[in-house]
């Protein structure tokens, strides 16, 4: 007799719907096994044949942290292509390489943590490189394309499972785990939520990752918005993965909860399904979950809900199918097609900012290529390891010939003289095995140690000439003649050991600090450790005490601007390649402090321009700069363009490719144009191209071409739910080129502040010469809605709307105006509903905070002293005699009706009560005769969530604006009127 084959369990039966298979598997898992599923590193369940699983594979612009892979342009560069079809193909290539790499290394995960859809609201954000645009429509279009490529085209199974980062309103690295973004309802719904919503509803997103910060006083990892918004946008089970260490932050840095059991339970109940904490050690998270269960803070059903969401993703990836799904053996890696795609993407990402006719370069020209990034192909924290590499210099050598190209890097060459008269010296390198960050893949590259297999620096009578670069704000790197960068390993010795600056804590940056006690001497501070360099008998090392530090005298043998000037003077054209190193001065954990180019690079640019007026500036950077381009004949920008950056730039300079990249964010003229980095009110702060009223250096959507285009025949057709907008675009040049046609809208006479112009649609098209092409956009009427705080929902306002077609938000070629019926507004029914404090129209000095730890908003003075709010067009009807406030904390609430009453019907937005909001909080002495109608003093004990109800006499009738002034650390949640 032969033993019968055991029946296939239902969760292995690919014929069944996923939901039934998930239900079956859940019933087979023990409670301990289910709890183990809540950590990022899920152990195998061998008795069921279930392999281990990991959430999180970085893949922002190529597979990251796992060794060699195709490296595409940074995300902000992909945004600059304005080309969703291209980005979809890149997503497909990246996910294909994920599958191929996983086939040989099971550590490579299929749950990819990308793309980043945080809006590039503030250009000093350290992680600007990770986002696509300041505009929600462009961001969601590019993100949707990338996720569709990552997901694949199979109707059921997914090639990879993309998770969107970082939910929500996250644009600062300074105090990123403790700062709160104050986001009013209109900004929340019209701006920050929109990029996530539109991408999720497109159907190719597996989940989201909450951000480190707080929003309206509440950590994102316990945000009610996950339930109230995210999970309502789709019927699909979405997996919410915490950011690394964020669950512990709820107690350790944010002090939002007293115990980790409470914090873990709150995060799980809010919707976090996978906890990324303590690296591969799951024991602390699982212990916290067990503790929460024992205390009654969680139920097994709560655990099952989170596990179900993870399993839903794993089933879609084919993990439990007999053949592991249709994508199991479909990976392609570093193919010719992927290399060509990387080059195409790098070409399409280049933005021609200015051109007075110098570009494209004429044949036979002699070029001086100068600048700190001229022979660099920089990587960032989320890059893979380069297999192929073309720097701008290498690209120009290849395109124009090495005999026509001269090079000057522009570093300062220096010897560092010690107090004993000797000089720092780099010993000859041994044949030690090559280490470094890119030697192999690492799940956490922050844990890769510095090299200790090379001898430390010494001091001798001659010393070594070092290449010094000042990256701004005195942050220096020092490079040995053989190309190795000075670095500090865990043993504290200084070695020429790094192949490039990098790492979570960069160990290759220093600062020369003047020492007044030693004349012209300097201390050399190592920024990674905070220690100071000293010379000891066994080598040069870093120590914590500045009193033991060596005193150095920099002896410059050549200034970078001198080398640049010599090369520039001998050339027909100069190409200055400037920009940033993505690991220094503006990166994750570190915001920039200025839009200016570092002084070192300004010196090089000035030297090149003085020596040769025919100077082209190519900015290669993760973010915008404010550069004085007066007198500069040509200027380009590209993000760090990945492996093919150099060949792409050379092709554009030569005219082989007509540039058609467009700016995905505003380039401001200077720091004075910028809001405070923590001011998230894009409406009140007049931020981004949507509201900015100044003159930018270069506007959103800007980008020039070697071709010229005409726009004509604008036509608008109305349907019941959409407008069809079409025009004709013609390439009037002699060669084919791309154009990016952009459609903007504007409400002509809105009742509330609306964008000056708002991108509604765009299309990048290839146009052959003299061939008119019709471009048509279908514009849903919902795209013209705004969030009406009086009704707590979106509304299409009746009135005139401009439809504007052009080549940037400021370069409008065609326009038409349409009248839409819409839905009339209403006055605020304050007798019936009162006022939710956060639903203000305007504010000054106010922060939105959490009403409770689970839901609701309140308002408070941002500085704890005073703030002011205005609520327009409040309908008191026949009159009220009493006001009631729900408050916590202590302080004073002053309430005043503004203007005379209006009892006759007036269309909202045009009532006689409207007055100009002062934006100030005057004292009573400054405003004689304007005493508030009601003053309520809040006193007594109680915490920030202990709300009380206070009542005072208050009379008003008709339609009036209402002004509230808050004094002291009072928290106001609601105002009611009666009588």
């Amino acid at each position: 007799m032969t033993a019968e084959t055991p029946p296939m369990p239902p969760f292995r039966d690919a014929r069944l719907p996923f939901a039934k298979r998930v239900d079956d598997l859940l019933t087979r898992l023990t409670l301990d096994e289910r709890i183990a599923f809540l950590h990022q590193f899920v152990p195998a369940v061998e008795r069921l044949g279930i392999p281990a699983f990991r959430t999180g594979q970085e893949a922002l612009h190529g597979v990251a942290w796992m060794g060699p892979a195709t490296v595409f342009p940074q995300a902000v560069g992909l945004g600059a292509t304005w080309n969703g079809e291209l980005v979809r193909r890149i997503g497909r290539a990246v996910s294909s390489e994920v599958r191929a790499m996983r086939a040989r290394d099971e550590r490579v995960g299929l749950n990819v943590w990308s793309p980043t859809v945080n809006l590039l609201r503030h250009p000093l954000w350290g992680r600007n490189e990770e986002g696509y645009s300041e505009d929600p429509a462009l961001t969601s279009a590019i993100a949707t394309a990338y996720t569709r490529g990552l997901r694949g085209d199979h109707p059921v199974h997914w090639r990879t499972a993309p998770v969107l980062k970082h939910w929500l309103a996250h644009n600062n690295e300074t105090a990123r785990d403790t700062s709160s973004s104050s986001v009013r309802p209109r900004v929340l719904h019209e701006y920050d939520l929109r990029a996530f919503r539109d991408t999720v509803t497109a159907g190719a997103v597996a989940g989201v990752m909450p951000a480190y910060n707080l929003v309206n006083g509440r950590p994102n990892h316990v945000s009610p918005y996950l339930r109230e918004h995210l999970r309502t946008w789709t019927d699909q089970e979405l997996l919410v993965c915490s950011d690394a260490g964020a669950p512990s932050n709820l107690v350790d840095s944010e002090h939002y909860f007293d115990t980790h059991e409470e914090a873990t339970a709150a995060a799980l109940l809010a919707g976090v399904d996978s906890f990324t904490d303590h690296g591969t050690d799951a024991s602390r998270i699982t212990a916290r979950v067990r503790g929460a269960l024992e205390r009654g803070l969680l139920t097994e059903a709560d655990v099952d809900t989170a596990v179900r969401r993870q399993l839903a993703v794993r089933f879609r990836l084919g993990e439990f199918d007999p053949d592991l799904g249709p994508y199991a053996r479909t990976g392609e890696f570093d193919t010719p097609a992927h290399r060509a795609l990387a080059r195409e993407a790098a070409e399409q990402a280049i933005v021609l900012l200015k051109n007075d006719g110098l570009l494209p370069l004429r044949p036979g020209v002699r070029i001086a290529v100068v600048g700190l990034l001229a022979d660099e192909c920089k990587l960032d924290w989320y890059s893979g390891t380069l297999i192929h590499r073309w720097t701008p210099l290498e690209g120009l050598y290849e395109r124009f010939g090495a005999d026509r190209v001269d090079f000057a890097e522009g570093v300062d060459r220096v010897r560092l003289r010690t107090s004993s008269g000797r000089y720092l010296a780099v010993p000859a390198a041994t044949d030690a095995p090559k280490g470094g960050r890119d030697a192999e893949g690492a799940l956490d590259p922050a844990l890769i140690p510095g090299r200790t297999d090379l001898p430390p620096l010494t001091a001798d009578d001659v010393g070594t000439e070092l290449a010094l670069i000042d990256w701004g704000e005195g942050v220096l790197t020092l490079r040995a003649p053989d190309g190795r960068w000075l670095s500090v390993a865990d043993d504290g010795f200084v070695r020429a050991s790094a192949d490039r600056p990098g790492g979570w804590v960069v160990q290759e940056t220093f600062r020369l600090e003047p020492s007044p006690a030693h004349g012209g001497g300097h201390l050399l501070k190592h920024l990674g450790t905070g220690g100071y360099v000293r010379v000891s008998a066994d080598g040069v090392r870093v120590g914590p005490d500045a009193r033991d530090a060596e005193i150095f005298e920099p002896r410059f043998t050549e200034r970078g601007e001198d080398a640049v000037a010599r090369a520039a003077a001998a050339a027909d054209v100069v190409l200055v390649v400037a920009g940033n190193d993505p690991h220094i001065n503006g990166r994750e954990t570190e915001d920039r402090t200025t839009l200016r180019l570092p002084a070192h690079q300004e010196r090089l640019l000035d030297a090149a321009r003085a020596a040769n007026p025919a100077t082209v500036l190519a900015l290669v950077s993760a973010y915008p700069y404010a550069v004085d381009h007066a007198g500069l004949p040509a200027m380009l920008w590209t993000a760090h363009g990945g492996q093919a950056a150099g060949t792409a730039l050379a092709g554009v300079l030569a005219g082989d490719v007509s540039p058609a990249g467009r700016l995905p964010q505003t380039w401001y003229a200077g720091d004075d144009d910028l809001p405070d980095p923590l001011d998230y009110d894009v409406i009140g702060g007049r931020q981004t191209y949507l509201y900015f009223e100044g003159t930018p250096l270069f506007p959103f959507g800007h980008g020039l071409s070697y071709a010229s285009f005409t726009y004509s025949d604008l036509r608008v057709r109305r349907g019941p739910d959409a407008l069809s907008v079409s025009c004709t675009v013609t390439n009037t040049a002699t060669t084919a080129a791309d154009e990016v046609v952009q459609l903007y809208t504007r409400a002509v006479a809105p009742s509330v502040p609306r964008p000056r112009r708002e991108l509604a649609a765009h299309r990048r098209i290839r146009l052959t010469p003299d061939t008119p092409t019709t471009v048509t956009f279908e514009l849903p009427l919902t795209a013209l809605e705004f969030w009406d705080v009086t009704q707590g929902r979106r509304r299409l306002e009746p009135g005139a709307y401009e439809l504007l077609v052009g080549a940037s938000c400021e370069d409008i070629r065609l326009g038409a105006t349409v009248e839409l019926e819409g839905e009339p507004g209403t006055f605020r029914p304050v007798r019936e509903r009162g006022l939710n404090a956060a639903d203000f129209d305007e504010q000054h000095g106010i922060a939105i905070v959490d009403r409770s730890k689970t839901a609701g908003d309140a308002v408070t003075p941002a500085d704890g002293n005073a703030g002011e709010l205005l609520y327009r067009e409040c309908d008191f009807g026949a009159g009220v005699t009493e006001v009631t406030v729900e408050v916590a904390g202590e302080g004073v609430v002053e309430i005043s009706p503004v203007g005379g009453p209006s009892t006759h019907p007036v269309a909202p937005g045009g009532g006689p009560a409207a007055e100009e909001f002062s934006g100030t909080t005057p004292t009573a002495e400054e405003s004689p005769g304007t005493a508030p109608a009601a003053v309520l003093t809040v006193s007594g004990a109680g915490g920030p969530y202990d709300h009380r109800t206070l009542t005072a006499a208050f009379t008003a009738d008709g339609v009036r604006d209402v002004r509230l002034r808050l004094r002291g650390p009072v928290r106001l949640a609601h105002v009611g009127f009666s009588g």
Side-chain angles (χ1 to χ4, degrees):
M1 294 179 65
T2 59
E4 292 186 10
T5 302
M8 176 187 294
F11 78 88
R12 295 284 187 189
D13 189 345
R15 297 168 299 177
L16 295 177
F18 285 154
K20 289 186 176 296
R21 298 171 69 186
V22 169
D23 287 344
D24 176 70
L25 181 51
L26 264 178
T27 64
R28 297 171 187 271
L29 294 170
T30 67
L31 176 59
D32 282 346
E33 288 167 344
R34 281 175 278 151
I35 291 173
F37 272 53
L38 300 182
H39 189 262
Q40 178 190 16
F41 289 88
V42 180
V45 183
E46 294 181 0
R47 66 183 183 85
L48 296 177
I50 297 174
F53 181 79
R54 172 172 73 93
T55 62
Q57 171 61 59
E58 300 294 352
L60 187 60
H61 53 109
V63 185
W65 299 6
M66 300 308 299
T70 302
V71 180
F72 294 94
Q74 291 179 305
V76 68
L78 298 181
T81 69
W82 290 56
N83 190 339
E85 188 276 331
L86 169 73
V87 174
R88 183 195 61 77
R89 288 188 282 129
I90 292 171
R92 185 192 185 285
V94 172
S95 63
S96 181
E97 294 204 352
V98 168
R99 284 283 184 172
M101 295 169 73
R102 180 174 173 80
R104 61 175 187 260
D105 185 350
E106 291 185 352
R107 298 178 307 155
V108 177
L110 299 179
N111 169 227
V112 294
W113 285 353
S114 48
T116 296
V117 295
N118 297 107
L119 300 168
L120 304 183
R121 172 191 61 88
H122 203 292
L124 297 185
W125 184 34
R127 302 179 76 171
N128 194 85
E129 64 198 28
E130 295 183 37
Y132 293 128
S133 172
E134 70 182 8
D135 179 75
L138 180 57
T139 294
S140 62
I142 300 298
T144 297
Y146 194 55
T147 56
R148 282 175 171 161
L150 291 171
R151 179 207 185 280
D153 299 323
H154 194 277
V156 175
H157 288 92
W158 293 31
R159 188 183 292 111
T160 62
V163 164
L164 305 181
K165 302 194 295 187
H166 306 85
W167 177 284
L168 183 71
H170 179 60
N171 274 132
N172 60 280
E173 296 305 292
T174 303
R176 66 176 181 170
D177 62 328
T178 56
S179 62
S180 178
S181 307
S182 185
V183 183
R184 62 198 285 187
R186 281 197 60 202
V187 174
L188 177 71
H189 290 277
E190 295 177 27
Y191 193 69
D192 286 299
L193 283 177
R194 182 177 166 192
F196 284 91
R197 182 192 69 221
D198 292 354
T199 310
V200 168
T201 56
V205 172
V208 304
M209 173 186 286
Y212 285 115
N213 62 304
L214 299 82
V215 170
N216 296 343
R218 187 180 295 109
N220 271 312
H221 282 75
V222 292
S223 171
Y225 299 151
L226 294 171
R227 177 185 65 258
E228 295 171 0
H229 300 298
L230 174 69
R231 297 198 186 279
T232 67
W233 296 336
T234 176
D235 294 331
Q236 181 179 287
E237 295 279 15
L238 295 175
L239 177 67
V240 176
C241 303
S242 86
D243 210 338
S248 289
N249 289 347
L250 292 169
V251 175
D252 296 344
S253 62
E254 294 164 349
H255 309 299
Y256 201 72
F257 297 97
D258 293 330
T259 69
H260 286 294
E261 289 76 17
E262 292 174 285
T264 303
L268 194 71
L269 292 172
V272 175
D273 307 306
S274 177
F275 290 75
T276 312
D277 214 347
H278 308 295
T280 59
D281 178 11
S283 62
R284 279 179 274 190
I285 286 296
T286 55
R288 293 169 186 176
V289 174
R290 290 190 188 94
L293 286 166
E294 292 168 0
R295 292 175 56 182
L297 302 174
L298 290 173
T299 67
E300 286 191 39
D302 299 324
V303 173
D304 290 352
T305 296
V307 175
R308 180 185 304 278
R309 291 168 182 154
Q310 181 190 123
L311 290 176
V313 170
R314 295 174 68 172
F315 273 98
R316 275 177 263 162
L317 291 169
E319 179 180 333
F320 301 107
D321 289 3
D323 60 355
L324 300 180
Y327 290 119
R329 286 166 289 277
T330 60
E332 298 174 335
F333 181 80
D334 185 34
T335 63
H338 289 186
R339 295 171 215 157
L341 184 60
R343 178 168 179 169
E344 181 184 1
E347 290 171 345
Q348 291 204 19
I350 294 173
V351 181
L352 181 59
L353 298 171
K354 180 180 181 179
N355 187 23
D356 291 343
L358 184 57
L359 297 178
L361 300 177
R362 67 181 188 276
V365 68
R366 173 165 290 281
I367 308 168
V369 184
V370 304
L372 302 181
L373 275 74
D375 196 24
E376 291 284 352
C377 189
K378 293 288 187 184
L379 300 177
D380 60 34
W381 182 244
Y382 293 104
S383 293
T385 302
L386 290 167
I387 306 172
H388 312 283
R389 173 185 182 271
W390 284 276
T391 70
L393 179 64
E394 291 167 337
L396 289 163
Y397 279 161
E398 182 181 90
R399 177 60 181 81
F400 290 92
D403 60 328
R404 307 299 301 170
V405 178
D406 297 317
F407 169 60
E409 184 180 11
V411 297
D412 291 336
R413 303 199 178 276
V414 66
R415 282 184 167 84
L416 295 177
R417 187 177 188 270
T418 69
S419 57
S420 66
R422 309 183 84 197
Y423 295 86
L424 286 193
V426 178
T430 65
D431 293 329
K434 179 74 169 74
R437 298 181 184 85
D438 298 332
E440 62 177 339
L443 292 177
D444 187 352
L447 302 179
I448 298 177
R451 293 180 65 180
T452 57
D453 56 327
L454 295 172
L457 268 63
T458 60
D460 62 25
D461 293 337
V462 178
T464 301
E465 184 181 79
L466 302 171
L468 182 151
I469 298 174
D470 185 338
W471 294 100
E473 302 181 52
V475 178
L476 312 175
T477 54
L478 296 161
R479 194 180 65 228
D482 66 357
R484 292 174 294 138
W485 303 72
L486 270 57
S487 184
V488 177
D490 290 342
D491 61 6
F493 283 102
V494 181
R495 297 175 173 87
S497 60
D499 50 5
R500 57 182 171 85
W504 185 249
V505 178
V506 178
Q507 300 294 342
E508 293 78 38
T509 52
F510 301 83
R511 175 176 283 117
L512 282 168
E513 295 185 348
S515 175
H518 298 86
H522 293 74
L523 307 182
L524 184 60
K525 184 175 185 177
H526 178 246
L527 300 182
T529 61
Y532 291 85
V533 175
R534 59 189 177 92
V535 179
S536 57
D538 54 351
V540 176
R541 62 168 67 224
V542 168
D545 196 337
R547 292 172 296 182
D548 298 330
E550 181 59 64
I551 306 300
F552 292 100
E553 179 189 349
R555 294 283 183 92
F556 290 95
T557 56
E558 181 181 58
R559 289 288 189 176
E561 57 265 35
D562 296 333
V564 165
R566 287 195 302 272
D572 298 321
V573 174
V574 185
L575 175 67
V576 179
V577 187
N580 77 304
D581 184 313
H583 287 92
I584 302 173
N585 282 0
R587 50 159 292 168
E588 186 169 359
T589 74
E590 182 182 359
D591 293 320
R592 284 194 297 167
T593 61
T594 180
L595 292 171
R596 288 191 60 180
L597 268 177
H600 188 152
Q601 299 193 62
E602 287 184 337
R603 285 192 280 121
L604 302 186
L605 177 59
D606 290 344
R609 295 167 72 173
N612 191 330
T615 294
V616 179
L617 174 60
L619 290 169
V620 181
S621 66
Y623 35 62
Y625 284 107
V627 178
D628 179 8
H629 58 81
L632 195 66
M635 183 173 170
L636 308 96
W637 169 74
T638 179
H640 294 280
Q643 64 188 48
T647 50
L649 182 60
V652 168
L653 293 170
D656 303 331
V657 176
S658 180
R662 299 292 183 263
L663 291 181
Q665 64 189 128
T666 302
W667 281 44
Y668 295 95
D671 294 339
D672 291 343
D673 290 333
L674 300 179
D676 185 284
L678 292 179
D679 179 4
Y680 278 77
D681 187 356
V682 296
I683 299 175
R686 315 307 292 172
Q687 300 175 34
T688 76
Y689 85 98
L690 295 166
Y691 295 97
F692 181 60
E693 295 170 337
T695 302
L697 185 71
F698 297 107
F700 173 80
H702 172 73
L704 305 178
S705 172
Y706 296 151
S708 56
F709 307 91
T710 61
Y711 287 65
S712 61
D713 303 324
L714 180 64
R715 295 176 295 278
V716 179
R717 289 187 293 108
R718 301 190 189 203
D721 301 311
L723 300 173
S724 178
V725 183
S726 63
C727 69
T728 300
V729 185
T730 305
N731 178 358
T732 58
T734 57
T735 58
D738 285 6
E739 172 69 328
V740 179
V741 184
Q742 303 168 37
L743 171 64
Y744 294 87
T745 63
R746 187 179 80 88
V748 175
S751 61
V752 296
R754 298 287 298 273
R756 295 175 60 250
R757 282 170 189 158
E758 182 173 11
L759 183 70
H762 71 277
R763 188 163 303 137
R764 181 165 177 155
I765 54 174
R766 185 74 171 170
L767 296 173
T768 56
D770 296 323
T771 304
T773 300
T774 298
V775 179
T776 301
F777 300 109
E778 295 298 321
L779 179 63
L781 295 183
T782 55
L784 300 170
E785 295 174 345
F786 75 104
W787 185 262
D788 187 345
V789 293
T790 68
Q791 300 185 39
R793 61 182 177 85
R794 299 182 68 87
R795 178 171 68 87
L796 177 63
E797 188 168 35
Y801 291 84
E802 289 182 344
L803 305 173
L804 309 167
V805 179
S808 83
C809 73
E810 299 295 338
D811 183 8
I812 300 301
R813 310 291 181 86
L814 301 170
T817 301
V818 295
E819 289 282 342
L820 299 178
E821 293 183 1
E823 176 189 355
T826 60
F827 299 123
R828 290 179 182 264
V830 294
R831 283 176 56 94
E832 295 79 14
R833 301 180 193 171
L835 294 169
N836 287 323
D839 286 341
F840 51 82
D841 287 291
E842 299 184 47
Q843 62 83 21
H844 178 75
I846 289 292
I848 303 177
V849 292
D850 49 337
R851 183 173 183 171
S852 74
K853 289 188 176 182
T854 55
D857 294 327
V859 296
T860 191
D863 60 2
N865 294 319
E868 184 178 6
L869 303 118
L870 188 68
Y871 304 83
R872 295 200 182 277
E873 298 179 330
C874 300
D875 188 357
F876 293 97
V880 300
T881 59
E882 189 174 77
V883 62
T884 301
V885 296
E886 294 180 28
V887 289
E890 59 181 353
V892 175
V893 180
E894 301 175 356
I895 308 175
S896 305
V898 178
S902 172
T903 57
H904 58 280
V906 179
E915 76 157 27
E916 186 68 24
F917 184 60
S918 66
T920 63
T921 309
T923 65
E925 291 77 12
E926 294 169 331
S927 306
T930 59
V935 178
L936 298 97
T937 301
V938 187
S939 60
Y945 308 118
D946 296 324
H947 286 85
R948 287 155 283 168
T949 300
L950 302 180
T951 301
F954 177 89
T955 58
D957 59 1
V959 177
R960 314 278 289 272
D961 291 354
V962 172
R963 185 191 304 273
L964 269 68
R965 293 182 180 132
L966 307 182
R967 304 185 189 278
V970 62
R971 296 162 70 106
L972 173 67
H974 187 266
V975 181
F977 301 94
S978 61

